[in-house]
Amino acid sequence: MKIILLQDEKKLGKKGDIVEVSEGYARNYIIPKKIGVEATAQNRNDLKLQKAHQEKLAKEQLDAAKALAAEIESKQVIVKMKAGEGGRTFGSISSKEIAAACKEQNGIELDKKKIQLQENLKSFGSYEVTVKLHPQVSAKLAVKVVEA
């Protein structure tokens, strides 16, 4: 009997796969536990439509990420930091502060977890920070740290 999996099953396959299983296994385990449904013509058609819809959504998300990356790369964020005598800085600039400054200055809301810093910025100057927007898209954000 052919079954369309509704969720990932360790020994059978991934969600959306069509697998061949014995009729007893399908009727007594897979269908009652809603792990899969019988692969009828209607269910196969529904699966095709779902996959097409998911591909369309993924493409839209990728296009949106590319547009946001282009916008981010054209902007600069200025972050102010306190300094003591001799130009020594107090503390450091973290991804949270960069995200807040980006929202305040440019109106672009970034998730602090998507901003990738090798280490916190501890001195004045200009830096390029990588922002991971999508698994396939990342952007470079220009960050300038100045004295408050």
Side-chain angles (χ1 to χ4, degrees), residues 4 17 30 40 50 86 98 111 117 143:
I4 298 173
D17 288 350
I30 294 175
T40 62
Q50 284 177 349
I98 293 171
D111 186 4
L117 293 172
V143 177

Side-chain angles (χ1 to χ4, degrees), residues 43-92:
N43 289 340
R44 287 182 188 195
N45 191 30
D46 290 347
L47 178 65
K48 281 183 190 176
L49 292 173
Q50 284 177 349
K51 284 187 178 181
H53 181 67
Q54 288 172 349
E55 287 173 7
K56 181 182 173 197
L57 286 177
K59 186 179 183 322
E60 288 175 359
Q61 288 174 346
L62 179 63
D63 292 343
K66 285 181 181 178
L68 183 60
E71 186 179 348
I72 286 173
E73 290 184 353
S74 67
K75 307 279 184 181
Q76 179 179 0
V77 175
I78 298 171
V79 182
K80 295 182 179 177
M81 181 182 220
K82 289 186 180 179
E85 291 180 30
R88 290 189 45 111
T89 59
F90 293 126
S92 63

